[in-house]
Short mmCIF file of all heavy atoms in Angstrom, two decimals:
data_model
loop_
_atom_site.label_atom_id
_atom_site.label_comp_id
_atom_site.label_asym_id
_atom_site.label_seq_id
_atom_site.Cartn_x
_atom_site.Cartn_y
_atom_site.Cartn_z
N MET A 17 0.87 -1.23 -0.06
CA MET A 17 -0.03 -0.01 -0.05
C MET A 17 0.85 1.21 -0.11
O MET A 17 0.57 2.22 -0.81
CB MET A 17 -0.91 -0.06 1.24
CG MET A 17 -2.11 -1.04 1.11
SD MET A 17 -3.03 -1.28 2.60
CE MET A 17 -3.52 0.38 2.93
N ALA A 18 1.95 1.24 0.83
CA ALA A 18 2.80 2.41 0.82
C ALA A 18 3.48 2.61 -0.55
O ALA A 18 3.61 3.80 -0.95
CB ALA A 18 3.87 2.26 1.91
N GLU A 19 3.88 1.64 -1.07
CA GLU A 19 4.59 1.62 -2.45
C GLU A 19 3.66 2.13 -3.55
O GLU A 19 4.07 3.04 -4.28
CB GLU A 19 5.05 0.26 -2.94
CG GLU A 19 5.88 0.42 -4.19
CD GLU A 19 6.44 -1.12 -4.52
OE1 GLU A 19 6.44 -2.00 -3.72
OE2 GLU A 19 6.89 -1.14 -5.72
N ARG A 20 2.30 1.70 -3.41
CA ARG A 20 1.34 2.20 -4.35
C ARG A 20 1.06 3.66 -4.15
O ARG A 20 0.91 4.35 -5.08
CB ARG A 20 0.07 1.41 -4.26
CG ARG A 20 -1.01 1.76 -5.24
CD ARG A 20 -2.17 0.84 -5.24
NE ARG A 20 -3.18 1.40 -5.93
CZ ARG A 20 -4.15 2.23 -5.72
NH1 ARG A 20 -4.14 2.58 -4.45
NH2 ARG A 20 -5.08 2.68 -6.49
N GLU A 21 0.99 4.14 -2.81
CA GLU A 21 0.73 5.57 -2.58
C GLU A 21 1.90 6.40 -3.06
O GLU A 21 1.62 7.55 -3.60
CB GLU A 21 0.55 5.64 -0.99
CG GLU A 21 0.23 7.09 -0.57
CD GLU A 21 -0.94 7.69 -1.18
OE1 GLU A 21 -1.98 6.84 -1.43
OE2 GLU A 21 -1.08 8.79 -1.48
N ALA A 22 3.10 5.92 -2.99
CA ALA A 22 4.21 6.70 -3.58
C ALA A 22 4.15 6.80 -5.02
O ALA A 22 4.41 7.83 -5.66
CB ALA A 22 5.47 5.94 -3.12
N ALA A 23 3.71 5.75 -5.66
CA ALA A 23 3.51 5.76 -7.10
C ALA A 23 2.49 6.72 -7.54
O ALA A 23 2.56 7.44 -8.48
CB ALA A 23 3.18 4.27 -7.67
N ARG A 24 1.39 6.75 -6.76
CA ARG A 24 0.23 7.66 -7.02
C ARG A 24 0.73 9.08 -6.86
O ARG A 24 0.34 10.01 -7.65
CB ARG A 24 -1.06 7.36 -6.20
CG ARG A 24 -1.64 6.00 -6.46
CD ARG A 24 -2.85 5.68 -5.64
NE ARG A 24 -3.87 6.73 -6.04
CZ ARG A 24 -4.76 7.19 -5.24
NH1 ARG A 24 -4.79 6.87 -3.94
NH2 ARG A 24 -5.65 8.01 -5.62
N ARG A 25 1.46 9.33 -5.75
CA ARG A 25 1.89 10.77 -5.58
C ARG A 25 2.77 11.27 -6.66
O ARG A 25 2.74 12.42 -7.05
CB ARG A 25 2.71 10.78 -4.20
CG ARG A 25 1.77 11.05 -2.99
CD ARG A 25 2.68 11.41 -1.77
NE ARG A 25 3.79 10.60 -1.44
CZ ARG A 25 3.68 9.54 -0.64
NH1 ARG A 25 2.53 9.30 0.00
NH2 ARG A 25 4.67 8.79 -0.39
N SER A 26 3.62 10.26 -7.21
CA SER A 26 4.54 10.67 -8.26
C SER A 26 3.76 10.57 -9.59
O SER A 26 4.36 10.79 -10.73
CB SER A 26 5.76 9.88 -8.26
OG SER A 26 5.53 8.57 -8.51
N LYS A 27 2.44 10.37 -9.72
CA LYS A 27 1.57 10.25 -10.88
C LYS A 27 2.13 9.10 -11.80
O LYS A 27 1.88 9.09 -13.00
CB LYS A 27 1.54 11.55 -11.58
CG LYS A 27 0.93 12.60 -10.72
CD LYS A 27 0.72 13.95 -11.45
CE LYS A 27 0.21 14.99 -10.61
NZ LYS A 27 -1.00 15.01 -9.91
N ASP A 28 2.72 8.03 -11.16
CA ASP A 28 3.10 6.89 -11.98
C ASP A 28 1.90 5.86 -11.85
O ASP A 28 1.83 4.90 -11.22
CB ASP A 28 4.33 6.23 -11.32
CG ASP A 28 4.93 5.09 -12.15
OD1 ASP A 28 4.16 4.62 -13.12
OD2 ASP A 28 5.96 4.57 -11.77
N TRP A 29 0.92 6.20 -12.73
CA TRP A 29 -0.39 5.48 -12.78
C TRP A 29 -0.23 4.01 -13.10
O TRP A 29 -0.96 3.08 -12.64
CB TRP A 29 -1.46 6.19 -13.53
CG TRP A 29 -1.59 7.60 -13.23
CD1 TRP A 29 -1.39 8.61 -14.09
CD2 TRP A 29 -1.96 8.19 -12.05
NE1 TRP A 29 -1.55 9.84 -13.47
CE2 TRP A 29 -1.92 9.61 -12.14
CE3 TRP A 29 -2.15 7.69 -10.66
CZ2 TRP A 29 -2.21 10.48 -11.12
CZ3 TRP A 29 -2.50 8.59 -9.66
CH2 TRP A 29 -2.39 9.99 -9.87
N LYS A 30 0.71 3.83 -14.06
CA LYS A 30 0.89 2.42 -14.51
C LYS A 30 1.36 1.53 -13.33
O LYS A 30 0.87 0.41 -13.17
CB LYS A 30 1.95 2.33 -15.72
CG LYS A 30 2.17 1.10 -16.15
CD LYS A 30 3.18 0.99 -17.29
CE LYS A 30 3.41 -0.41 -17.82
NZ LYS A 30 4.54 -0.50 -18.68
N ARG A 31 2.36 2.11 -12.64
CA ARG A 31 2.92 1.32 -11.51
C ARG A 31 1.77 1.22 -10.36
O ARG A 31 1.64 0.02 -9.76
CB ARG A 31 4.16 1.96 -10.86
CG ARG A 31 4.81 1.38 -9.68
CD ARG A 31 5.26 -0.09 -10.16
NE ARG A 31 5.90 -0.71 -8.86
CZ ARG A 31 5.81 -2.05 -8.80
NH1 ARG A 31 5.47 -2.82 -9.72
NH2 ARG A 31 6.34 -2.51 -7.58
N ALA A 32 1.14 2.16 -10.10
CA ALA A 32 -0.06 2.07 -9.13
C ALA A 32 -0.90 1.03 -9.51
O ALA A 32 -1.47 0.21 -8.65
CB ALA A 32 -0.69 3.44 -8.99
N ASP A 33 -1.35 0.96 -10.72
CA ASP A 33 -2.32 -0.06 -11.32
C ASP A 33 -1.73 -1.42 -11.15
O ASP A 33 -2.42 -2.46 -10.83
CB ASP A 33 -2.68 0.16 -12.73
CG ASP A 33 -3.62 1.37 -12.88
OD1 ASP A 33 -4.13 1.79 -11.87
OD2 ASP A 33 -3.78 1.84 -14.04
N GLU A 34 -0.42 -1.58 -11.40
CA GLU A 34 0.36 -2.91 -11.30
C GLU A 34 0.24 -3.31 -9.87
O GLU A 34 -0.03 -4.57 -9.57
CB GLU A 34 1.76 -2.75 -11.80
CG GLU A 34 2.00 -2.68 -13.22
CD GLU A 34 3.30 -2.25 -13.65
OE1 GLU A 34 4.21 -2.10 -12.74
OE2 GLU A 34 3.57 -2.21 -14.74
N LEU A 35 0.47 -2.50 -8.88
CA LEU A 35 0.43 -2.88 -7.47
C LEU A 35 -1.03 -3.20 -7.07
O LEU A 35 -1.21 -4.12 -6.29
CB LEU A 35 0.99 -1.88 -6.60
CG LEU A 35 2.54 -1.55 -6.88
CD1 LEU A 35 2.89 -0.16 -6.24
CD2 LEU A 35 3.29 -2.65 -6.25
N ARG A 36 -2.04 -2.48 -7.59
CA ARG A 36 -3.43 -2.91 -7.28
C ARG A 36 -3.67 -4.27 -7.78
O ARG A 36 -4.36 -5.18 -7.12
CB ARG A 36 -4.31 -1.84 -7.84
CG ARG A 36 -5.81 -2.18 -7.46
CD ARG A 36 -6.80 -1.32 -8.25
NE ARG A 36 -6.75 0.12 -7.77
CZ ARG A 36 -7.51 0.63 -6.84
NH1 ARG A 36 -8.28 -0.11 -6.16
NH2 ARG A 36 -7.33 1.90 -6.55
N GLU A 37 -3.24 -4.55 -8.97
CA GLU A 37 -3.42 -5.89 -9.60
C GLU A 37 -2.63 -6.97 -8.79
O GLU A 37 -3.20 -8.21 -8.68
CB GLU A 37 -2.97 -5.84 -11.12
CG GLU A 37 -3.93 -5.10 -11.98
CD GLU A 37 -3.44 -4.87 -13.34
OE1 GLU A 37 -2.31 -5.53 -13.72
OE2 GLU A 37 -3.89 -4.05 -14.12
N LYS A 38 -1.49 -6.66 -8.23
CA LYS A 38 -0.76 -7.61 -7.53
C LYS A 38 -1.60 -7.94 -6.25
O LYS A 38 -1.62 -9.11 -5.85
CB LYS A 38 0.65 -7.01 -7.10
CG LYS A 38 1.55 -7.92 -6.27
CD LYS A 38 2.90 -7.24 -6.01
CE LYS A 38 3.68 -8.17 -5.07
NZ LYS A 38 5.00 -7.57 -4.78
N ALA A 39 -2.10 -6.93 -5.60
CA ALA A 39 -2.93 -7.22 -4.39
C ALA A 39 -4.18 -8.04 -4.74
O ALA A 39 -4.44 -8.97 -4.06
CB ALA A 39 -3.33 -5.79 -3.80
N ALA A 40 -4.75 -7.64 -5.93
CA ALA A 40 -5.93 -8.47 -6.31
C ALA A 40 -5.64 -9.92 -6.57
O ALA A 40 -6.46 -10.73 -6.21
CB ALA A 40 -6.58 -7.79 -7.60
N ALA A 41 -4.40 -10.15 -7.04
CA ALA A 41 -4.02 -11.66 -7.31
C ALA A 41 -3.84 -12.41 -5.97
O ALA A 41 -3.90 -13.61 -5.96
CB ALA A 41 -2.67 -11.61 -8.12
N GLN A 42 -3.70 -11.57 -4.93
CA GLN A 42 -3.51 -12.21 -3.66
C GLN A 42 -4.95 -12.27 -2.87
O GLN A 42 -4.99 -12.60 -1.65
CB GLN A 42 -2.49 -11.51 -2.81
CG GLN A 42 -1.03 -11.63 -3.45
CD GLN A 42 0.02 -10.71 -2.50
OE1 GLN A 42 -0.34 -9.88 -1.81
NE2 GLN A 42 1.19 -11.05 -2.84
N GLY A 43 -5.85 -11.84 -3.53
CA GLY A 43 -7.17 -11.80 -2.95
C GLY A 43 -7.49 -10.62 -2.10
O GLY A 43 -8.40 -10.75 -1.15
N ILE A 44 -6.89 -9.49 -2.44
CA ILE A 44 -7.06 -8.22 -1.67
C ILE A 44 -7.50 -7.13 -2.50
O ILE A 44 -6.95 -6.88 -3.62
CB ILE A 44 -5.65 -7.79 -1.02
CG1 ILE A 44 -5.26 -8.98 0.08
CG2 ILE A 44 -5.72 -6.50 -0.37
CD1 ILE A 44 -3.81 -8.95 0.52
N VAL A 45 -8.56 -6.39 -1.99
CA VAL A 45 -9.02 -5.17 -2.71
C VAL A 45 -8.38 -3.99 -2.04
O VAL A 45 -8.62 -3.95 -0.82
CB VAL A 45 -10.49 -5.15 -2.73
CG1 VAL A 45 -11.10 -3.87 -3.38
CG2 VAL A 45 -11.12 -6.48 -3.37
N LEU A 46 -7.79 -3.18 -2.77
CA LEU A 46 -7.36 -1.90 -2.18
C LEU A 46 -8.35 -0.82 -2.58
O LEU A 46 -8.83 -0.71 -3.68
CB LEU A 46 -5.94 -1.55 -2.95
CG LEU A 46 -4.90 -2.38 -2.57
CD1 LEU A 46 -3.58 -2.00 -3.18
CD2 LEU A 46 -4.58 -2.59 -1.05
N GLU A 47 -8.82 0.02 -1.62
CA GLU A 47 -9.79 0.97 -1.84
C GLU A 47 -9.23 2.34 -1.36
O GLU A 47 -8.81 2.56 -0.21
CB GLU A 47 -11.02 0.73 -0.93
CG GLU A 47 -11.68 -0.68 -1.35
CD GLU A 47 -12.85 -1.07 -0.50
OE1 GLU A 47 -12.83 -0.73 0.71
OE2 GLU A 47 -13.85 -1.68 -1.03
N ASP A 48 -9.33 3.22 -2.29
CA ASP A 48 -8.84 4.67 -2.02
C ASP A 48 -10.08 5.42 -1.50
O ASP A 48 -11.08 5.38 -2.05
CB ASP A 48 -8.38 5.27 -3.33
CG ASP A 48 -7.11 4.45 -3.90
OD1 ASP A 48 -6.32 4.05 -3.03
OD2 ASP A 48 -7.12 4.22 -5.04
N GLY A 49 -9.75 6.36 -0.52
CA GLY A 49 -10.72 7.18 -0.03
C GLY A 49 -10.22 8.48 0.58
O GLY A 49 -8.96 8.60 0.51
N PRO A 50 -11.07 9.30 1.14
CA PRO A 50 -10.57 10.60 1.67
C PRO A 50 -9.39 10.44 2.75
O PRO A 50 -8.66 11.26 2.89
CB PRO A 50 -11.75 11.35 2.14
CG PRO A 50 -12.99 10.48 1.61
CD PRO A 50 -12.45 9.21 1.30
N GLN A 51 -9.53 9.33 3.52
CA GLN A 51 -8.62 9.10 4.62
C GLN A 51 -7.35 8.31 4.22
O GLN A 51 -6.54 7.90 4.95
CB GLN A 51 -9.26 8.28 5.78
CG GLN A 51 -10.63 8.90 6.05
CD GLN A 51 -10.60 10.36 6.45
OE1 GLN A 51 -11.06 11.15 5.57
NE2 GLN A 51 -10.09 10.92 7.57
N GLY A 52 -7.30 8.00 2.90
CA GLY A 52 -6.18 7.31 2.36
C GLY A 52 -6.65 5.83 1.78
O GLY A 52 -7.91 5.64 1.61
N THR A 53 -5.69 5.01 1.66
CA THR A 53 -5.95 3.72 1.09
C THR A 53 -6.21 2.67 2.18
O THR A 53 -5.46 2.69 3.15
CB THR A 53 -4.81 3.20 0.06
OG1 THR A 53 -4.65 4.23 -0.85
CG2 THR A 53 -5.15 1.89 -0.45
N THR A 54 -7.15 1.84 2.05
CA THR A 54 -7.52 0.72 2.91
C THR A 54 -7.52 -0.46 2.16
O THR A 54 -7.57 -0.52 0.98
CB THR A 54 -8.74 0.98 3.78
OG1 THR A 54 -9.82 1.05 2.70
CG2 THR A 54 -8.74 2.19 4.67
N TRP A 55 -7.58 -1.65 2.79
CA TRP A 55 -7.69 -2.96 2.11
C TRP A 55 -8.77 -3.77 2.69
O TRP A 55 -9.15 -3.56 3.98
CB TRP A 55 -6.38 -3.64 2.04
CG TRP A 55 -5.88 -4.23 3.35
CD1 TRP A 55 -5.21 -3.65 4.39
CD2 TRP A 55 -6.18 -5.60 3.87
NE1 TRP A 55 -5.05 -4.44 5.36
CE2 TRP A 55 -5.55 -5.66 5.14
CE3 TRP A 55 -6.91 -6.76 3.37
CZ2 TRP A 55 -5.61 -6.83 5.89
CZ3 TRP A 55 -6.92 -7.92 4.07
CH2 TRP A 55 -6.31 -7.95 5.24
N ARG A 56 -9.27 -4.77 2.06
CA ARG A 56 -10.26 -5.74 2.47
C ARG A 56 -10.09 -7.00 1.72
O ARG A 56 -9.69 -6.92 0.55
CB ARG A 56 -11.67 -5.13 2.43
CG ARG A 56 -12.15 -4.91 1.02
CD ARG A 56 -13.66 -4.49 0.98
NE ARG A 56 -14.08 -4.17 -0.33
CZ ARG A 56 -14.37 -5.05 -1.27
NH1 ARG A 56 -14.39 -6.31 -1.02
NH2 ARG A 56 -14.74 -4.64 -2.52
N PRO A 57 -10.51 -8.08 2.24
CA PRO A 57 -10.50 -9.30 1.38
C PRO A 57 -11.37 -9.18 0.21
O PRO A 57 -12.44 -8.49 0.27
CB PRO A 57 -10.97 -10.40 2.45
CG PRO A 57 -10.77 -9.86 3.75
CD PRO A 57 -10.88 -8.42 3.55
#
């Protein structure tokens, strides 16, 4: 999540999407919100 947040801050959308997909492959959903990114199964 921290690596993805860093990618988003630097506007590296491709890398941010890759990290979201990596999490999804592990059965984890990353959700962005006003308080930051959270995760859930």
Side-chain angles (χ1 to χ4, degrees):
M17 289 170 54
E19 186 178 348
R20 184 171 172 275
E21 181 59 31
R24 291 182 70 212
R25 274 197 307 270
S26 65
K27 299 188 190 293
D28 185 352
W29 309 122
K30 182 179 177 189
R31 180 66 180 147
D33 288 344
E34 289 170 357
L35 292 166
R36 183 187 292 271
E37 290 170 13
K38 180 179 177 180
Q42 297 175 345
I44 296 169
V45 175
L46 298 180
E47 298 178 328
D48 300 320
Q51 309 314 100
T53 303
T54 59
W55 72 272
R56 65 174 174 81

